Amino acid sequence: MSLITLFFVLIFILINGLFWIALEHFAREYEVQQHHRLHFVLHDRTLLEHQPNPMFMPPPPPPPPPLSITLKSPALLPIWIVFIAIDLLILAFFAFLLKKLSPLHRLKNAIINFQEGDTQLNVPIEGKDEISQITHEFNHALEKIAAMKESRALFLRNILHELKTPIMKGSLTADCLDTSEDQERLKRIFNRMNYLLGEFSTMERFSSGEWELNLREYRFVDLLDHACDILLCSKENFDIKGEETGLIIKVDFELFAIALKNLLDNALKYSDTKPSILILSHSVEICNLADPLPQENQSFDKPFNRTYESSMTGLGLGLYITHSILKKHGFRLRYHHDSGMNCFRILTI
């Protein structure tokens, strides 16, 4: 819209400038014609004054009016009329174009709001032109997306509710058993399953854009402890270096722990040796001994890479979720393979 306005302003200035040049030209031409007419009148009067028989000499013509040519002269009135008509036509066309394009401005704002998660939109429809048809289709698409989103939310709520009941019963049953190593193992398993349900709910809200980050400053070692608790593993399973750096990052505790847990889980799952964690001043690097990732799997912008579709070990969602969470925080996830090690680096700046 601003480019169209700028274009019309430039056209308006150009046309008025050309008109002013043309008006000056016509004024000078008119002035030259007036000078010629004055010259001929004076010449005729001189001839009459020198006639041999002044008795029959007609009266001399009246003196010509004083020469006064301005831009407001009546002779230039038709040019002024044409100029004003052109200006009014341009302004009327500009107003008409703005009125026709105003639905596009509303549609753009609706798309921006939709991108931010607001699917309950209804852009007003005026007229029956192409823009109105696009707006109508956009409203129809939003209605379908809202219905699908509500259906998905209902489906997930039902799944979480149905799973929570047997997990709760299993946890209560484990509490009723005699104290033993098996009882502790069962309690940890049911606690882990209960946490996973909460994690599924969190990821659903995050992926739908409903999760608002609760950013606070935390020590990375505390986040690492929480991620290990989620995995039901110990920090002893990793070779940790750089804890003394005291790295502090501003994150959403639960979301960042999920992202970190996914990286730690992959490092443990796909390595026969102890993975390493290197904590630096502005980054964290998690490495494990393994073959390099295929080139097509080194992009984490989308889930369900084709090489995962027939895999029995996973669908490749973990790295996609981790990448999405880090991107939401303004962090970056980088991958490289060096000396037989798969390394994932979290850049916090």
Side-chain angles (χ1 to χ4, degrees), residues 280-300:
L280 302 175
S281 58
H282 296 293
S283 66
V284 177
E285 191 169 78
I286 301 171
C287 300
N288 64 290
L289 184 64
D291 294 331
L293 291 178
Q295 185 65 34
E296 62 270 17
N297 295 339
Q298 295 182 19
S299 175
F300 315 123

Side-chain angles (χ1 to χ4, degrees), residues 200-336:
F200 293 155
S201 177
T202 298
M203 289 312 305
E204 192 279 329
R205 292 172 59 196
F206 173 75
S207 61
S208 63
E210 297 178 359
W211 184 274
E212 295 292 335
L213 294 182
N214 182 21
L215 299 177
R216 294 185 181 180
E217 291 187 345
Y218 299 97
R219 297 189 308 163
F220 178 79
V221 291
D222 294 331
L223 294 162
L224 181 60
D225 287 337
H226 186 56
C228 289
D229 290 340
I230 299 173
L231 282 174
L232 299 179
C233 69
S234 171
K235 290 170 62 176
E236 302 299 325
N237 297 107
F238 302 93
D239 182 16
I240 303 176
K241 300 177 183 179
E243 288 185 274
E244 67 278 359
T245 59
L247 175 62
I248 297 177
I249 53 179
K250 192 172 184 179
V251 296
D252 184 295
F253 190 85
E254 291 297 331
L255 272 183
F256 188 85
I258 292 173
L260 185 59
K261 181 265 299 181
N262 290 337
L263 293 178
L264 298 180
D265 190 25
N266 284 344
L268 288 173
K269 188 183 299 182
Y270 301 108
S271 178
D272 296 330
T273 61
K274 181 183 290 189
S276 64
I277 301 175
L278 178 60
I279 306 173
L280 302 175
S281 58
H282 296 293
S283 66
V284 177
E285 191 169 78
I286 301 171
C287 300
N288 64 290
L289 184 64
D291 294 331
L293 291 178
Q295 185 65 34
E296 62 270 17
N297 295 339
Q298 295 182 19
S299 175
F300 315 123
D301 292 326
K302 58 181 181 179
F304 299 109
N305 292 315
R306 291 192 176 275
T307 54
Y308 283 110
E309 291 177 358
S310 59
S311 173
M312 299 301 294
T313 58
L315 293 174
L317 281 173
L319 291 177
Y320 167 72
I321 291 173
T322 297
H323 170 77
S324 300
I325 293 175
L326 295 179
K327 185 177 179 180
K328 183 78 170 180
H329 283 82
F331 301 160
R332 290 170 291 167
L333 179 64
R334 293 291 181 264
Y335 165 80
H336 68 275

Side-chain angles (χ1 to χ4, degrees), residues 63-95:
L67 187 62
S68 178
I69 304 300
T70 65
L71 296 180
K72 297 181 180 181
S73 298
L76 301 179
L77 180 61
I79 301 177
W80 275 105
I81 294 176
V82 172
F83 163 67
I84 294 175
I86 292 176
D87 274 358
L88 292 177
L89 184 62
I90 292 176
L91 293 176
F93 180 69
F94 179 61

